């Protein structure tokens, strides 16, 4: 934004007051809780902290969190690219309905997101008997947690890609085709480089939510220590056992994940902004 | 290579973009598709290039006698230059030009040295030597235009298709590029079709002008033919400045270009019409007069040389006589 | 912004760009399997209960109290976010001061921080012996295990919505309009009230509705601080989980169906509002 002319600049006392109020609000609301996580985590010293994040249940929770994200994020990334290709590059009937449906999971409570899979695959669910007969378990097991995570992180990548690809239009793809490129070559060499930052951005947000998801996963997890507890669920268990230092130690790992996500997000935005300016 | 288009139709929803286009373009020609926006000229170009297809069963496209109507763009070898160039922003100038060669299947792909030589040769041809490592964002509009041209030429196209090639450039660059493209075409001889809405551009540059309106061809001819012998009122009005005049005692409308109006002294006995000078604009060697007819009160533009103007000593408010010099037209 | 057109030729859509059938087919299949079919199950199960069964499950004191608490506090949280979001968006867009970029980035913290972390951090902070609780409790303000705690958590997670919806609109406002108002003799406050604010209203409503919708379904950050006393501090999402744990599938499903209907209604409202905002900005 350009420098404000004197006519539209707010009086100094207004500026000071509003900036002060913002700093106070955000400080109290965002920074204090964030700092408190780390303070509580180290309250009993580094040794307790290190032990809390390396003991067996914590390790398996970290491993499970990483595994769930490693399955859910690529699935939704592939979906996001496919959906964006179909929606941004072609015109067809029912497109705006499809767009609205893709956003649907954001409107659904995480608890309900988990519940729907219990209704399908739980012991009394639609496929419950069939799964029992074939000795398959989805609910209270890892597959259910992956499904619930896929559900809550469903729109992230698609949402970043669709508006960008719509804005970019099809001319570069047409140019590639007219130069003899195949469909796959066109996608690989022209489309993908053009959307890589948005794709990365979407994947980062998707990943943060996948690793931090609590409500949906809580519903479908059996809360079995060392087996179906992700890191957020492990935090809950420790907290409810009044093992504060360990709970906050594990929470601090999740907070670092959140901070790294924010950092990457800001860097990409900055980078994308830079690119836009050079055009 | 010769191109022929037979009875092409293309509808978008309820909008008829092309309503039966038939066109024959001989080898080595430089052809302008000229028309207002919405006339279907870009749609026609895209169908020739394989970037769009006619309605099912409605028409054929032949390149050098071969029916390519259903061939995808990738196998047509039509070099397409897009209105906004569609350069690959993430690739350097060199990589952009090399793209069409590098995506070929391994069996027909030239060796890297061959690609390199070819790209550098093309960049020399479009006068962009030394810029091969730049990104498109680091080039001026005219330079981007020439990269797009070099990129299209790299695939050794059977035909070169340009969509509003100078539309996005400012007036001076446009004029330079226009001249350059003309000599460039003479040198290469590739059959070239370009789309434009600028009549002057079409008349100056093309061997053949195809005037289009509302999805149909109004007239095909040399610039001279379409300018001097417009086949329809639309062509008349679209090409060049034109006045609509009613001669006294005759019901029909005449189309008269400003340079075809001879301005005489008010008392001149050969005058067919009488008017008053409403506005006078003289800059450079020619002058433009806006005249109001004494009887019908309609306005009319007339061109004359500065010298004539000075000799007659006209000024605003003067009455004059007019004679229409229609040359060999009726 | 041109799109490849698809033409029906012998029944098969034909287009210049390849991959339409594959990408759309995959999109629709995946959407159906992951999202639509499972969501549909909620309604299928609920319709199996019949209207009577449905209302019997909903119209209990415990459920009604949870609904009142959830929607009431969510609405309040949405409104508070509207006020604070406007303040923050204004300060971030209009003023230049050291640390502005850091502050701007940190607005997304509630999105990036897992909800469970926010939940335990807020609970610990406002507990009677916590950093902030130790000052509030002697004043008679009980935050933890009481409605104000729930409100606090809901404001926390909803904060980014209003700020992020307002920012682009604020940035696109023409400064010339404010200069015009000033040249016509308006005071700064009048300019804000009569020129700036009316143009922000659609985005403000959209952001507030988004924050409200998020708050209604929120679970992770609330469950720790709420105390979860039935009838007093029990929110709907928690009640759904409680019912599930008690194998009351019918009750849980009926509540889920209610929540879904409300979510979809909110989604429609938000879509409508966003389209309106867009139209206004284009016009």
């Amino acid at each position: 934004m350009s420098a404000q002319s004197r006519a539209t600049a707010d009086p100094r006392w207004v500026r000071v007051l509003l900036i002060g109020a913002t700093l106070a609000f955000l400080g109290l609301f965002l920074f204090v809780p964030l700092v408190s996580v780390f303070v509580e985590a180290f309250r009993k010293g580094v040794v307790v902290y290190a032990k809390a994040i390396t003991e067996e249940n914590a390790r398996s929770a970290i491993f499970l969190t990483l595994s769930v994200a490693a399955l859910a994020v690529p699935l939704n990334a592939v979906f996001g690219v496919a959906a964006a290709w179909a929606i941004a590059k072609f015109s067809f009937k029912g497109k705006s309905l499809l767009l609205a449906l893709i956003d649907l999971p954001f409107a659904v409570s995480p608890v309900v997101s988990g519940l729907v899979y219990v209704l399908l695959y739980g012991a009394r669910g639609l496929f419950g008997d069939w799964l029992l007969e074939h000795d398959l378990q989805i609910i209270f097991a890892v597959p259910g947690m992956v499904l619930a995570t896929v559900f809550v992180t469903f729109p992230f990548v698609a949402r970043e890609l669709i508006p960008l690809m719509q804005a970019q239009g099809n001319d570069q793809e047409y140019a590639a085709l007219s130069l003899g490129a195949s469909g796959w070559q066109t996608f690989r060499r022209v489309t993908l480089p053009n959307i890589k930052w948005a794709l990365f951005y979407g994947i980062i947000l998707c990943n943060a939510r996948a690793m931090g998801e609590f409500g949906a996963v809580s519903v479908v997890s059996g809360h079995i220590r060392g087996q179906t507890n992700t890191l957020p669920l492990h935090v809950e268990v420790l907290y409810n056992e009044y093992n504060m230092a360990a709970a906050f130690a594990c929470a601090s790992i999740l907070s670092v994940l959140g901070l790294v996500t924010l950092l990457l997000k800001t860097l990409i935005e900055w980078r994308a902004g830079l690119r836009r300016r050079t055009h | 290579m010769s191109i022929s288009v037979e009875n092409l139709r293309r509808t978008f929803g309820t909008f008829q973009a092309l309503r039966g286009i038939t066109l024959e373009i001989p080898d080595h020609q430089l052809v302008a598709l000229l028309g207002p926006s919405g006339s279907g000229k870009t749609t026609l170009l895209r169908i020739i290039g394989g970037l769009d297809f006619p309605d099912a069963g409605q028409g054929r496209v032949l390149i050098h006698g071969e029916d390519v109507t259903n061939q995808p763009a990738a196998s047509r070898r039509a070099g397409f230059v897009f209105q906004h160039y569609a350069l690959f922003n993430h690739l350097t100038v060199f990589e952009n030009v090399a793209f069409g060669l590098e995506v070929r299947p391994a069996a027909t792909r030239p060796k890297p040295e061959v690609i390199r030589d070819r790209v550098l040769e093309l960049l020399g041809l479009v006068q962009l030597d030394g810029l091969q490592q730049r990104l498109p964002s680091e080039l001026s509009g005219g330079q981007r235009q020439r990269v797009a041209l070099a990129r299209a030429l790299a695939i050794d196209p059977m035909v070169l298709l340009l969509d509003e090639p100078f539309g996005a450039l400012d007036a001076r660059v446009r004029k330079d590029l226009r001249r350059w493209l003309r000599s460039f075409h003479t040198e290469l001889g590739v059959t070239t079709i370009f789309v434009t809405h600028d009549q002057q551009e079409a008349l100056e540059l093309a061997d053949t002008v195809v005037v289009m309106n509302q999805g149909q061809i109004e007239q095909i001819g040399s610039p001279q033919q379409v300018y001097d012998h417009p086949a329809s009122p639309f062509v008349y009005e679209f090409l060049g400045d034109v006045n609509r005049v009613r001669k006294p005692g005759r019901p029909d409308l005449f189309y008269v270009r400003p340079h075809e109006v001879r301005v005489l002294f008010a008392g001149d006995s050969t005058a067919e019409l009488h008017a008053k000078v409403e506005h006078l604009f003289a800059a450079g060697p020619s002058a433009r007069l806006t005249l109001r007819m004494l009887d019908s009160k309609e306005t009319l533009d007339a061109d004359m040389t500065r010298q004539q103007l000075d000799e007659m000593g006209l000024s605003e408010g003067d009455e004059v006589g007019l004679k229409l010099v229609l040359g060999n037209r009726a | 912004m041109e799109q490849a057109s698809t033409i029906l030729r012998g029944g098969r859509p034909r287009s210049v760009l390849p991959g339409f059938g594959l990408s759309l087919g995959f999109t629709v299949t995946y959407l159906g399997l992951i999202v639509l079919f499972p969501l549909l199950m909620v309604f299928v199960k609920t319709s199996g209960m019949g209207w009577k069964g449905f209302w019997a499950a909903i119209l209990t004191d415990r459920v009604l109290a949870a609904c009142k608490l959830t929607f009431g506090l969510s609405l309040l949280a949405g409104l508070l976010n509207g006020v604070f979001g406007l303040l923050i968006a204004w300060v971030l867009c209009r003023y230049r001061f050291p640390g502005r970029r850091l502050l701007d980035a940190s607005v997304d913290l509630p999105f990036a921080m897992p909800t469970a972390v926010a939940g335990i951090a807020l609970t610990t902070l406002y507990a009677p012996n916590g950093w902030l609780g130790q000052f509030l409790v002697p004043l008679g303000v009980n935050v933890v295990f009481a409605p104000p705690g729930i409100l606090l958590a809901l404001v926390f997670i909803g904060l980014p919505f209003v700020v992020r919806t307002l920012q682009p609109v604020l940035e696109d406002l023409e400064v010339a309009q404010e200069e015009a108002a000033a040249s016509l003799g308006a005071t700064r406050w009048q300019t804000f009230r009569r020129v700036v604010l009316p143009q922000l209203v659609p985005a403000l409503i959209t952001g507030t509705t988004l924050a409200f919708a998020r708050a209604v379904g929120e679970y992770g950050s609330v469950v720790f601080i709420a105390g979860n006393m039935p009838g007093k501090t029990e929110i709907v999402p928690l009640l759904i989980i409680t019912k599930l744990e008690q194998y009351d599938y019918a009750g849980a499903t009926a509540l889920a169906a209610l929540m879904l209907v409300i979510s979809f209604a909110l989604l429609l409202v938000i879509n409508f509002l966003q389209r309106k905002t867009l139209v206004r900005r284009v016009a």
Side-chain angles (χ1 to χ4, degrees), chain B residues 215-274:
Chain B
Q216 281 167 326
I217 292 177
E218 294 272 344
Q219 189 175 5
I220 305 174
S222 69
Q224 197 89 55
Q225 282 169 327
V226 293
Y227 191 82
D228 287 343
H229 305 283
S232 67
F234 173 82
V235 179
Y236 223 128
E237 296 209 22
F238 196 73
L239 285 179
D241 292 331
V242 72
N243 296 300
R244 270 195 278 195
V245 190
R246 221 180 284 276
K247 275 195 195 173
R250 289 179 62 175
D252 49 335
L253 277 174
F254 272 87
Y255 289 91
V256 184
R257 301 210 188 276
H259 72 265
E260 295 173 321
V261 178
R262 176 133 337 134
V263 180
L264 310 164
F265 287 110
D268 197 306
S269 58
T270 58
E272 298 167 290
L273 298 159
H274 295 276

Side-chain angles (χ1 to χ4, degrees), chain C residues 134-149:
Chain C
Q134 57 180 321
F135 303 113
L136 293 172
V137 174
L139 299 173
V141 182
N142 262 319
V143 175
V144 169
F145 303 152

Side-chain angles (χ1 to χ4, degrees), chain A residues 1-2 4-5 7-11 14-15 18-19 21-23 25-26 28-37 39-40 43 72 75-76 78-79 82-83 85-92 95 98 100-105 107-112 115-120 123-127 147 150-151 154 166-167 169-171 173-174 177 183-184 186 208-209 212 214-215 218-219 223 232 235-236 239-240 244 247-248 251 254-255 257-259 261-262 265-266 269-270, chain C residues 1-6 15-20 22-24 26-28 30-31 33-39 41-42 45 81 84 87-88 90-97 101-103 105-126 131-132 151-153 155-157 159 164 170-171 175 178-179 182-183 188 213-214 216-221 223-224 236-238 240-241 244-245 247-249 252-253 255-256 259-260 263-264 267 271:
Chain A
M1 219 184 52
S2 59
Q4 301 242 310
S5 65
T8 58
D10 296 329
V14 173
R15 273 182 291 156
L18 295 185
I19 292 175
T22 300
L23 286 174
F25 181 81
L26 290 181
L28 208 62
F29 238 72
L30 301 181
F31 287 102
V32 171
L34 183 66
V35 170
S36 81
V37 170
V39 172
E40 295 287 341
R43 183 166 290 238
L75 274 174
N76 282 338
V78 170
F79 161 75
W85 182 266
I87 288 173
K89 299 288 178 192
F90 302 91
S91 53
F92 55 93
K95 188 194 278 194
L98 186 61
L101 290 177
I102 287 173
D103 267 349
L104 211 54
V108 174
S109 170
V111 170
V112 177
L115 172 87
V116 295
Y117 290 108
V118 176
L119 294 181
L120 275 181
R124 299 191 201 175
L126 190 65
F127 301 121
L147 276 175
V150 167
F151 186 104
F154 189 85
Q166 280 179 329
N170 294 353
D171 272 358
E173 280 80 9
Y174 286 154
L177 289 174
W184 174 245
T186 303
R209 180 72 194 267
F214 180 70
S218 177
V219 174
H223 298 274
V235 168
E236 184 196 21
Y239 184 85
N240 287 340
M244 294 302 172
F248 277 100
L254 289 168
S255 301
L257 167 77
L259 289 175
T261 303
L262 271 192
K265 184 173 169 296
T266 311
E269 277 164 10
W270 181 71
Chain C
M1 207 174 57
E2 201 169 339
Q3 290 186 323
S5 39
T6 53
S15 74
V16 179
L17 289 179
F20 176 64
L22 183 69
S23 59
L24 187 67
F26 177 71
T27 301
V28 172
Y30 188 74
L31 178 75
L33 286 179
I34 298 288
V35 178
L36 300 183
F37 180 59
L39 285 180
M41 275 307 294
V42 174
K45 285 257 174 186
N81 272 326
F84 290 117
L87 168 74
I88 294 166
W90 179 266
V91 168
L92 289 178
C93 278
R94 289 303 175 96
Y95 304 148
R96 293 291 171 269
F97 54 95
R101 288 181 74 109
L102 179 71
L103 219 56
S106 71
V107 167
D108 281 331
L109 209 58
F111 281 163
M113 278 255 265
T115 51
V117 177
I120 65 167
L122 290 174
T123 313
T124 310
L125 277 177
Y126 289 92
W131 290 1
L132 301 169
L151 184 65
L152 197 72
V155 173
F156 177 84
I157 52 116
L159 179 72
R164 294 300 183 228
L170 255 174
E171 264 157 26
V175 180
E178 287 166 59
E179 288 171 343
S183 75
R188 195 62 196 131
R214 171 73 200 262
V216 167
E218 180 56 20
Y219 174 72
S221 58
V223 72
F224 294 97
V236 177
L238 179 79
I240 292 178
I241 288 196
L244 265 183
E245 281 169 355
Y247 299 105
D248 178 9
Y249 279 58
T253 311
L255 258 181
M259 293 277 282
L260 280 179
S263 308
F264 295 163
L267 197 67
N271 262 339

Side-chain angles (χ1 to χ4, degrees), chain B residues 1 96 139 162 184 216 236 315 321:
Chain B
M1 304 287 162
N96 262 282
L139 299 178
L162 304 104
F184 189 80
Q216 281 167 326
Y236 223 128
S315 58

